[in-house]
Amino acid sequence: MRAWAVVENGKPLQEMEWPTPEPKGTEVLLEVTHCGVCHSDLHIWDGYYDIGGGKKMSLTDRGVKLPLAMGHEIVGRVVKLGPDASGVKPGDLRIVYPWLGCGECDACRSDNDNMCTVVPRSLGVYANGGYGTHVIAPHPRHLVDPGNIDPTVAATYACSGITVYSAIKKAMPMAPDEAIVLVGAGGLGLNAIAILKAMGHRNIIAVDISAEKREAALKAGASKAVDGSGEGVTKRIMEAAGGPVLAAIDLVNGTTTARFAFDALRKGGKLIQVGLFGGELTVALPLMAIRALTVRGSYVGSVTDLRELVDLAQKGKLEALPVATVPQNQANDALMRLKDGKVTGRLVLKAEAA
Ligand SMILES: [Zn+2]
Ligand SMILES: [Zn+2]
């Protein structure tokens, strides 16, 4: 097999020839047809996350080993099954759920692999992912049939799609006309609007500092767009919503956005934190109790979330995000385009034969 791998952090990806892995036990070998290029690949490539206050969280300290084929938004065709694998057959096209854990703890066995605390084995992070011609899925239950969905779009459901879907589920249930606030109208924000609409939600308030992004949010179906810059953002959100709100999803999650979103909550309100911008939030503890508030983090999603999202898309309710394909062997160029901020929508690597 060939891979376009990180050999040294921050240096160009290198094309590598590796022996094609042989599936053991329940493993399934797939030939990668599509792989999305995600913003978090840039952090993995850099080798660290910025955790604020000038501090960095090193990924090698957390068990990331090089060389590594990144890529966690994978669609591939089944090539070969391990002796204990069943449920798929060679030729089947599948989305590969990448957020893997040990595979054996209660979290993993209940399809909450992303909540595993034993061993992280996420594809494209701790194990080789989709920036290669082949990938190993540890178990057939991590493979989801994209059905009639364009595989280029289906690939993006494995990360950006379920990240947003899982956060929305944490804010639900809500009546369709109850205001839900989305902070950040970039890629994830537009995705969130599409998913909320597909779920039948009608009252969506998008907040962004960019006029262009607010315009895009309205076009995508947001009911109202609020300027997130300067003073008085909480007041503007409440004006748009007709009062304090029941739920806000913060896709930015920085000191400023967390503050105005939290302050806009009403009794029983929830703030769901998704973004990794960084910073801190101070809360008045008696208010948390008296107003029965929830502040909850949300990280990627489960394989169940992926199945549900694919189901929603198969019903034709989910508007596809803008995607552009790049030949697989130009993975490094694609990554650099993303780094330079020259990408609208999502870049997806595509195999020659796909
Ligand atoms: Zn991602
Ligand atoms: Zn586990």
Side-chain angles (χ1 to χ4, degrees), residues 128-151:
N128 287 318
Y131 286 22
T133 54
H134 293 75
V135 72
I136 286 277
H139 197 283
R141 71 180 184 81
H142 299 120
L143 303 176
V144 178
D145 186 352
N148 56 5
I149 309 165
D150 174 358

Side-chain angles (χ1 to χ4, degrees), residues 38 40 72-73 99 159 346:
C38 175
S40 66
H72 51 262
E73 293 189 341
W99 308 110
C159 178
R346 203 76 161 170

